[in-house]
Amino acid sequence: MKLATLPGAGREGRLVLVSRDLTRAVSAGTIASTLQAALDDWARVEPQLLALSQSLEARTAGDVFPFDQAHALAPLPRAFQWLDASAFLSHGRLMAKAMRLSSNPQTSDAPLMYQGGSDDFLGPCTDAPFPSEADGIDFEGEFAVIVDETPMGASTERARQAVRLVVQLNDWSLRVVAPREMQSGFGFIHAKPATAFAPVAVTPDELGSSWTDGRVGLDLHIAWNDKPFGRPNGGVMSYSFFELIAHAARTRRLRAGTIIGSGTVSNDNPQDVGSACIAEKRGLEIIAAGEPTTPFMTFGDRVRMEALDERGDAPFGAIDQRVVKG
Amino acid sequence: MKLATLPGAGREGRLVLVSRDLTRAVSAGTIASTLQAALDDWARVEPQLLALSQSLEARTAGDVFPFDQAHALAPLPRAFQWLDASAFLSHGRLMAKAMRLSSNPQTSDAPLMYQGGSDDFLGPCTDAPFPSEADGIDFEGEFAVIVDETPMGASTERARQAVRLVVQLNDWSLRVVAPREMQSGFGFIHAKPATAFAPVAVTPDELGSSWTDGRVGLDLHIAWNDKPFGRPNGGVMSYSFFELIAHAARTRRLRAGTIIGSGTVSNDNPQDVGSACIAEKRGLEIIAAGEPTTPFMTFGDRVRMEALDERGDAPFGAIDQRVVKG
């Protein structure tokens, strides 16, 4: 099933179910008023949501209305936890080489993961405001899962049962600011402003065979100012989402609605498929010619991100944002 | 006014107003069902909460019941953002000296701040579960503020207007895990399990002259297994909470309900007043004798934390937790 959040009375918006082709929606308000409310009570509400979703698909549901992706909020307009990993090791290897780091912080021992801000997620077509172009404004195309209650010390196998929804996101990053924050050891605050989400959260079954072994095997198509920038595939993620969940839960339980991200989708042939962030393209340029030639974004720039399946459909809908002066 | 959260129907519990002496409470449910709901709509609900609080103090309110600190949840049982600083520079200087760090990551240029997990806050008397004693279980006594909407780029002066509530907390830390996570540059995930909060959140005016220049000038009394461990004063915080809020908002707005913490309360005479965390005591021992003699906590240990005013009253109530095997 596919879920989205439309503007509603409160900051959490109101939960709707969306048809498989993303053209129609129906309110889920009688079952759960918001997506967080549904996640807090998933075992009880899931069968009801599923029944309504099936009647929407069968065109027997009442009060169906056209679904407009551009007006959706993030599926969770704010969340209680947002943990983002760096789970494509090809990205880390490339960046460490480009930056001539003596050691690559991204190793195969354990995933890198940071705690992101989750009080203010942007909708798919909301302008992204930043204070200064000098901060090195960059997009990062990613996938993530939204999980149910997960006990402390959960195994990878236990973590598998915790995945409720899959989402697609743009982890906005300020590259000039990031190294200073990494050096402090305390992680990112200024370097990671509000994250944006594609309009539709899907249950893993909606992805069919593209959901394999805890990975999203779809090409993530990125266009920067309408020019294709990359289409790396999410299926080669070095750690599965199950492993990322288990990693996150090592010393504490995770509560329902926790979002766990993949980090920039990256393949080991970016010269062929492009990248999901500008930093990686600049890294390639540094390795090839000693210095980067692609600038970061400027105010007015747009980025579009959509994961496409083999039929050319976008199961999550599209992110299409403009960068503006905050 | 003083607010607390008692167990209720949902994960957010139910909001109550508490009498100044912490003995009595009255439901605030007709005004705002939860503390987050109140914070989302503060301008509208504040006068109503204030009127009810005054009638509670004047003993004219109906349906008043005894308030039992030990049964309270954290004022926000889960929050959308938890940013914790390290705003007592004496702590950083001591730790850098003890660890013989070539450079102290905590400088006076800008506050150190990390994004903490906020999906699962512990109540004041809830057992604190950890997977292993070998991880170096430590407490950290802190103060924090809960803020209202704060625009990106807010000045310190603008940030002053954003403070809604002051709270007291125990930022549980796993010291053996922390250095590895700091080295990664991505900040703390495993090293910072669920944080616990004292039962009562107070408006700054409740602190009287102890709230000065965005600092909590109270002694934070810490007892480990009933033995006094420290009583550092929060008034010497090197950055005010206003500065911390402005720092957090440099590249993004902060939404209502964001919690911003002080970091371990620390004074520059810990040999006299003790410390608010074991790591600092061990740091002193390393400086004095080359190695630490105080161990970290073991399962079954207790820690009690309460900030006391000059009359010996505890405006936030007390944290009193036991460490258990998770």
Side-chain angles (χ1 to χ4, degrees):
Chain A
M1 82 192 140
K2 301 195 168 194
L3 300 114
T5 296
L6 294 177
R11 286 282 321 280
E12 257 76 47
R14 62 191 186 93
L15 182 63
V16 300
L17 282 160
V18 180
S19 65
R20 199 150 286 154
D21 64 3
L22 307 195
T23 62
R24 297 167 301 120
V26 64
S27 171
T30 57
I31 303 167
S33 56
T34 67
L35 182 51
Q36 182 64 50
L39 290 160
D40 283 341
D41 200 15
W42 192 255
R44 193 183 64 79
V45 304
E46 187 192 19
Q48 300 174 53
L49 291 173
L50 204 54
L52 181 57
S53 170
Q54 284 161 351
S55 72
L56 175 65
E57 228 41 66
R59 296 182 180 265
T60 55
D63 295 325
V64 171
F65 55 90
F67 178 67
D68 181 357
Q69 287 190 34
H71 287 109
L73 307 178
L76 288 172
R78 54 183 179 178
F80 294 106
Q81 181 156 245
W82 160 220
L83 291 166
D84 198 14
S86 183
F88 290 87
L89 294 183
S90 55
H91 175 71
R93 278 193 296 265
L94 192 152
M95 298 312 290
K97 189 173 171 191
M99 301 308 156
R100 294 198 179 111
L101 297 182
S102 53
S103 71
N104 176 5
Q106 189 194 44
T107 69
S108 54
D109 296 346
L112 274 181
M113 188 176 277
Y114 76 90
Q115 186 99 31
S118 54
D119 62 317
D120 189 30
F121 290 144
L122 303 180
C125 300
T126 309
D127 287 348
F130 303 103
S132 168
E133 291 171 342
D135 287 337
I137 303 166
D138 197 359
F139 47 81
E140 275 196 16
E142 306 190 12
F143 298 106
V145 293
I146 303 179
V147 306
D148 206 337
E149 302 283 314
T150 306
M152 177 190 296
S155 66
T156 302
E157 204 46 49
R158 174 62 186 79
R160 180 184 296 265
Q161 304 164 31
V163 174
R164 291 290 162 262
L165 297 166
V166 186
V167 293
Q168 181 205 311
L169 63 100
N170 181 6
D171 177 36
W172 284 107
S173 299
L174 299 177
R175 301 296 184 189
V176 172
V177 181
R180 191 173 64 233
E181 294 195 323
M182 286 187 75
Q183 234 169 5
S184 81
F186 271 45
F188 310 114
I189 303 287
H190 295 161
K192 295 286 185 179
T195 303
F197 285 76
V200 180
V202 308
T203 47
D205 60 286
E206 289 286 333
L207 299 175
S209 61
S210 300
W211 176 251
T212 307
D213 201 21
R215 294 164 173 87
V216 181
L218 294 174
D219 291 343
L220 183 56
H221 288 255
I222 316 271
W224 179 9
N225 291 334
D226 297 321
K227 286 193 207 103
F229 186 81
R231 48 181 172 78
N233 190 285
V236 298
M237 190 160 72
S238 310
Y239 298 97
S240 72
F241 279 113
F242 311 139
E243 290 170 296
L244 298 182
I245 295 166
H247 177 81
R250 189 174 99 59
T251 64
R252 51 178 168 150
R253 63 181 173 180
L254 309 175
R255 307 310 301 265
T258 291
I259 307 171
I260 298 196
S262 66
T264 309
V265 176
S266 172
N267 293 171
D268 60 9
N269 57 339
Q271 61 284 6
D272 302 326
V273 300
S275 298
C277 66
I278 301 172
E280 192 171 286
K281 185 168 165 57
R282 288 167 59 95
L284 281 171
E285 292 165 351
I286 291 170
I287 292 166
E291 59 178 359
T293 50
T294 304
F296 289 113
M297 297 181 90
T298 55
F299 296 137
D301 277 9
R302 302 194 71 92
V303 65
R304 185 178 173 89
M305 301 182 166
E306 56 188 341
L308 298 179
D309 63 20
E310 68 278 5
R311 293 185 308 274
D313 292 333
F316 307 99
I319 290 171
D320 195 340
Q321 293 188 278
R322 190 177 54 151
V323 167
V324 299
K325 174 96 179 83
Chain B
M1 85 193 136
K2 300 194 168 194
L3 299 114
T5 296
L6 295 177
R11 285 283 323 279
E12 258 76 48
R14 63 191 186 92
L15 182 63
V16 300
L17 281 160
V18 180
S19 64
R20 198 149 287 153
D21 64 3
L22 308 195
T23 61
R24 296 167 302 121
V26 63
S27 171
T30 56
I31 302 167
S33 57
T34 67
L35 182 52
Q36 182 63 51
L39 290 160
D40 283 343
D41 200 14
W42 192 256
R44 194 182 64 77
V45 304
E46 186 193 18
Q48 300 174 55
L49 291 173
L50 205 53
L52 182 56
S53 169
Q54 284 161 352
S55 72
L56 175 65
E57 228 41 66
R59 296 182 180 265
T60 57
D63 296 325
V64 172
F65 55 90
F67 177 68
D68 180 358
Q69 288 190 34
H71 287 108
L73 307 178
L76 288 171
R78 52 183 180 179
F80 295 106
Q81 181 156 245
W82 160 221
L83 291 166
D84 198 13
S86 183
F88 290 87
L89 294 183
S90 55
H91 175 71
R93 277 193 298 266
L94 191 152
M95 296 313 290
K97 190 173 170 192
M99 303 306 158
R100 295 200 179 109
L101 297 181
S102 53
S103 70
N104 175 5
Q106 188 195 43
T107 69
S108 55
D109 296 347
L112 275 181
M113 189 176 275
Y114 76 90
Q115 187 98 32
S118 55
D119 62 317
D120 188 31
F121 290 144
L122 303 180
C125 299
T126 311
D127 285 348
F130 303 104
S132 168
E133 291 172 342
D135 288 338
I137 302 166
D138 197 0
F139 47 81
E140 276 197 14
E142 307 191 10
F143 297 107
V145 293
I146 303 180
V147 306
D148 206 338
E149 303 283 315
T150 306
M152 177 189 297
S155 65
T156 302
E157 205 45 50
R158 174 63 185 79
R160 181 184 295 265
Q161 303 163 32
V163 175
R164 292 289 162 262
L165 297 166
V166 186
V167 293
Q168 180 204 312
L169 63 100
N170 181 6
D171 178 37
W172 284 107
S173 299
L174 299 177
R175 300 297 184 188
V176 172
V177 181
R180 190 173 65 232
E181 293 195 323
M182 286 187 73
Q183 233 168 7
S184 81
F186 271 45
F188 309 114
I189 303 289
H190 295 161
K192 296 285 186 180
T195 303
F197 285 76
V200 180
V202 308
T203 48
D205 60 286
E206 290 286 334
L207 299 175
S209 61
S210 300
W211 175 252
T212 306
D213 201 20
R215 293 164 173 88
V216 181
L218 295 174
D219 291 343
L220 183 55
H221 288 254
I222 316 272
W224 179 9
N225 291 334
D226 296 320
K227 286 195 207 104
F229 186 81
R231 48 180 172 80
N233 189 285
V236 298
M237 190 160 72
S238 311
Y239 298 96
S240 72
F241 279 113
F242 310 139
E243 290 170 295
L244 298 182
I245 296 166
H247 178 81
R250 189 175 99 58
T251 64
R252 51 178 168 148
R253 63 180 172 180
L254 310 175
R255 307 311 299 264
T258 290
I259 306 170
I260 299 196
S262 65
T264 309
V265 176
S266 172
N267 293 171
D268 60 10
N269 57 338
Q271 60 285 5
D272 302 325
V273 299
S275 298
C277 66
I278 301 173
E280 193 171 284
K281 185 166 164 57
R282 288 167 59 95
L284 280 171
E285 292 164 351
I286 292 169
I287 292 166
E291 60 178 357
T293 50
T294 304
F296 289 113
M297 297 180 90
T298 54
F299 295 137
D301 278 9
R302 302 194 70 92
V303 65
R304 183 176 173 91
M305 301 182 167
E306 58 188 339
L308 297 179
D309 63 20
E310 67 279 5
R311 292 185 307 274
D313 292 333
F316 307 100
I319 290 171
D320 195 341
Q321 294 188 276
R322 191 177 52 152
V323 167
V324 298
K325 174 95 179 84

